[in-house]
């Protein structure tokens, strides 16, 4: 899919851009049915349901799936769709290399993910995340939130997340002037975000709506591995 100069400018300025309708509704429906079926089959390699201090979190019944492209042909096809890679490559200015795929189920009542930078987990730069909404994603269901411009500050320090609302234990320390912006998305829309952009999500406050999303991470062929500065990688808080 071809990006306008304005979309590329927005990505560089704010650290994110939404491309509406990247996947059509038939494909989105197929993704939902496919991943619900695969989840119902039982445990998959790398499943993580989040912290154990809130056993009532519905995420535990529907843990996120990771790196499905290693064992699932359809995931590989969707994560390497030509239209998606075209956008990734226009934004990073390099040939893309698929690094990671994930599926978040986020059922009604599920916790969100403490705000963080992906490069606090994956120490390769540049890195880009692609977050595809499979359900309508708004404030009530715990949509993706981003801190515009935060990618320009480099990596933040890490601190403990509030696990009453986050299924992960670590979050980024917020820049003083941080504005947290909710991103409204329709099924099939894709959010592209810089590996240093602070983002995450809050609780799914609804009793009847899911917030499923297909998430991929890419680096460029010329991206470089780096040593995270002290206190700025998720492992630095855990140890
Ligand atoms: O979907 C979410 O709630 C958060 C996803 C996220 O932070 C990520 O993919 O890095």
């Amino acid at each position: 899919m071809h990006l306008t100069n304005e979309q590329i400018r927005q990505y560089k300025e704010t650290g994110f851009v939404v491309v509406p309708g990247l996947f059509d509704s038939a494909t989105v429906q197929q993704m939902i049915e496919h991943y619900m079926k695969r989840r119902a089959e039982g445990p998959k390699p790398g499943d993580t349901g989040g912290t154990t201090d809130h056993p009532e979190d519905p995420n535990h019944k529907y843990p996120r799936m990771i790196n499905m492209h290693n064992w699932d042909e359809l995931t590989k096809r969707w994560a390497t769709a030509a239209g998606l890679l075209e956008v990734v490559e226009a934004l990073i200015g390099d040939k893309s290399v698929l690094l990671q795929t994930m599926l978040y189920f986020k059922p009604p009542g599920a916790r969100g993910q403490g705000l963080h930078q992906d490069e606090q987990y994956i120490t390769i730069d540049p890195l880009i995340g692609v977050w595809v909404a499979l359900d309508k994603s708004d404030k009530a269901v715990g949509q993706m939130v981003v801190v515009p411009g935060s990618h320009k500050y480099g990596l933040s320090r890490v601190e403990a997340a509030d696990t009453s609302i986050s299924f992960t234990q670590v979050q980024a320390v917020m820049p003083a002037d941080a504005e947290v912006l909710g991103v409204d998305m329709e099924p099939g829309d894709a959010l592209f975000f810089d590996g240093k952009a602070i983002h995450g999500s809050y609780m799914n406050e609804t009793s009847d709506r899911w917030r499923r999303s297909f998430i991929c991470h890419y680096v460029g062929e010329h991206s470089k591995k780096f040593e995270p500065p002290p206190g700025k990688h998720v492992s630095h808080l855990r140890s």
Side-chain angles (χ1 to χ4, degrees):
M1 183 173 284
H2 187 69
L3 283 184
T4 63
N5 287 342
E6 174 51 27
Q7 285 173 309
I8 294 174
R9 192 203 60 78
Q10 197 206 325
Y11 180 80
K12 294 204 181 317
E13 248 339 275
T14 63
F16 71 95
V17 68
V18 175
V19 175
L22 188 74
F23 287 94
D24 62 29
S25 52
T27 307
V28 168
Q29 200 47 44
Q30 191 189 3
M31 286 181 175
I32 290 177
E33 286 166 16
H34 177 69
Y35 288 121
M36 292 306 278
K37 208 182 291 168
R38 307 277 357 214
R39 185 68 292 167
E41 288 167 0
K44 299 291 180 199
D47 278 354
T48 45
T51 64
T52 51
D53 53 349
H54 287 80
E56 76 291 352
D57 182 349
N59 279 323
H60 295 300
K61 275 178 78 182
Y62 295 91
R64 71 175 174 191
M65 294 197 293
I66 193 158
N67 290 333
M68 303 84 75
H69 63 285
N70 290 334
W71 45 264
D72 180 55
E73 274 308 311
L74 275 174
T75 299
K76 203 185 294 179
R77 189 197 302 167
W78 290 323
T80 56
L84 191 163
L85 295 188
E86 196 180 332
V87 177
V88 166
E89 293 180 358
L91 293 174
I92 60 172
D94 198 358
K95 188 151 175 44
S96 61
V97 180
L98 174 64
L99 205 64
Q100 179 172 275
T101 51
M102 294 193 288
L103 201 289
Y104 280 33
F105 292 89
K106 201 164 189 178
R111 287 178 294 173
Q113 178 164 5
L115 275 57
H116 62 278
Q117 294 162 302
D118 287 339
E119 289 185 20
Q120 292 173 326
Y121 288 81
I122 302 170
T123 51
I124 308 178
D125 182 82
L127 169 76
I128 184 168
V130 184
W131 192 100
V132 180
L134 302 185
D135 298 290
K136 186 179 174 67
S137 190
D138 54 21
K139 189 161 188 267
V141 290
Q143 65 191 163
M144 274 284 269
V145 300
V146 290
V147 177
S150 51
H151 64 306
K152 291 187 173 169
Y153 292 100
L155 286 188
S156 289
R157 297 186 68 77
V158 290
E159 63 180 9
D162 173 359
T163 58
S164 67
I165 57 167
S166 169
F167 77 84
T168 50
Q169 302 188 34
V170 182
Q171 65 183 19
V173 173
M174 285 287 178
D177 57 349
E179 172 209 1
V180 179
L181 186 77
V183 185
D184 287 331
M185 294 170 70
E186 294 296 324
D189 293 353
L191 170 71
F192 292 78
F193 54 102
D194 187 291
K196 290 186 291 302
I198 299 179
H199 68 281
S201 71
Y202 302 122
M203 305 263 313
N204 181 343
E205 305 280 1
T206 72
S207 58
D208 58 354
R209 291 174 54 200
W210 291 64
R211 196 231 61 183
R212 288 161 289 209
S213 50
F214 176 58
I215 306 168
C216 304
H217 287 93
Y218 305 84
V219 291
E221 272 188 354
H222 297 89
S223 291
K224 294 262 182 312
K225 190 143 183 56
F226 65 90
E227 193 56 41
K232 298 192 170 183
H233 187 266
V234 286
S235 64
H236 298 165
L237 195 75
R238 289 193 202 117
S239 54

